[in-house]
Amino acid sequence: DVKVTQSSRYLVKRTGEKVFLECVQDMDHENMFWYRQDPGLGLRLIYFSYDVKMKEKGDIPEGYSVSREKKERFSLILESASTNQTSMYLCASSLFGRGGTEAFFGQGTRLTVV
Amino acid sequence: DQQVKQNSPSLSVQEGRISILNCDYTNSMFDYFLWYKKYPAEGPTFLISISSIKDKNEDGRFTVFLNKSAKHLSLHIVPSQPGDSAVYFCAASDPGAGSYQLTFGKGTKLSVIP
């Protein structure tokens, strides 16, 4: 059974803190993604990675960075958390390949920045 | 600029009737389309997909229709059940863009009334 696991379901952090969100997948997928979901805005792509140590900016990368040192792990880093980064964060992974492939999502991390 | 649009934020349907969720896209390079279902405080789960070489794909109670000339797809759920109440996201992929990300719509909240 496919599995994408995010390290925390709920997090509360203070403004200015450095925040790490971790994601691990056990499907040997090449591609990994970080999205955030906000009411009325849907899912917006922050960063993605198609290989170890590779990363690409998505639609809203400002204020975030990522790290992919191992194939199965993709970390999202909020360098200095701000209240407008309060959101649901979703990690996903998918197989490399043309022709279309579905992405599998983790359970999400609800981050509140106070 | 929104490339995938779900113009109905919400939809209410009586149990047993048909639910029709709509999605429009603007990027003619999209060639793979997916529907995801999301419950509150959980990650999205894949529901059904369709390649641009097809105009219909069916899986149990779920059918996706694709009209390429109109750049429109729809998800039909028949018969609708209370457990189908969730937010449904339409997503599209353009493998030719050199990335493997999915572009999501803003979602439609479906409520199935018992």
Side-chain angles (χ1 to χ4, degrees), chain B residues 34-47:
Chain B
L34 308 89
W35 285 95
Y36 282 82
K37 175 180 178 179
K38 186 181 183 299
Y39 294 117
E42 292 184 15
T45 54
F46 170 74
L47 204 53

Side-chain angles (χ1 to χ4, degrees), chain B residues 55-88:
Chain B
D55 54 18
K56 178 182 173 182
N57 189 26
E58 195 170 350
D59 183 2
R61 296 187 297 116
F62 303 92
T63 303
V64 56
F65 295 92
L66 175 63
N67 182 336
K68 287 190 293 293
S69 60
K71 294 192 179 68
H72 176 84
L73 65 155
S74 61
L75 174 69
H76 292 211
I77 306 173
V78 184
S80 301
Q81 299 173 354
D84 296 329
S85 296
V87 177
Y88 289 79

